[in-house]
Each structure stands twice: as C-alpha cells, then as structure tokens.
Amino acid sequence: MARTQPVIVYPPAEDGGRRVRADDHFLGMAYGLLDIAEFLRQAGIEDADPAYVRQSALIEWRGGGPDVWGS
C-alpha cells in the first residue's frame, strides 16, 4: 500500500513513547525505531526497517528526529 500522506511521529511523552499517526489513523505508541518500522509493515510497507524509518521522507518528525526519545 503506497501512502501519499505522511506518517507523523509526535514529540516524546513523559514515558518516552511517541504517538504515531498515518492519515487519520492512530498506529500506536512507539518506544523506538523498531516499533515505527512494525507499524509501517502492518500498514503495508513491507520493506520498513529502522534504516528506512530513519531516512524516509514519508515520516514527519515533530519534537525531534529519529534519535530523540524520552527518558
């Protein structure tokens, strides 16, 4: 499934997790790049892995990039 709208990764919450949304759908709370990769695989992006997550133009990072996670 090809996406035309970005996946949005929100700033870290107090527990360190980051909300992940695609279109109008909440995909889940991510606690690392592996979680985001898994959400993308479930959404139909078969080749998603942490390297893909780190460099993909599909992902809009808010409140810090792929290396910013809470405590």
Side-chain angles (χ1 to χ4, degrees), residues 30-55:
Y31 293 89
L33 298 177
L34 283 173
D35 292 333
I36 297 173
E38 181 58 27
F39 297 151
L40 295 178
R41 282 193 294 269
Q42 290 174 7
I45 301 173
E46 300 291 327
D47 58 345
D49 63 12
Y52 176 91
V53 171
R54 186 176 292 282
Q55 66 186 4

Side-chain angles (χ1 to χ4, degrees), residues 3 6 9-10 13 15-16 19-21 26 30 32 35 37 39 47 50-51 57-58 60:
R3 291 197 170 276
V9 180
Y10 289 90
D15 69 353
R19 289 181 300 131
V20 181
R21 294 183 64 85
F26 175 70
D35 292 333
F39 297 151
D47 58 345
L58 174 72
E60 177 184 328

Side-chain angles (χ1 to χ4, degrees), residues 5 13 16 18-19 25 27 33 41 44 48 52 58 64 68-69 71:
Q5 294 189 0
R18 297 179 77 166
R19 289 181 300 131
H25 304 287
L27 300 180
L33 298 177
R41 282 193 294 269
Y52 176 91
L58 174 72
V68 177
W69 299 89
S71 52

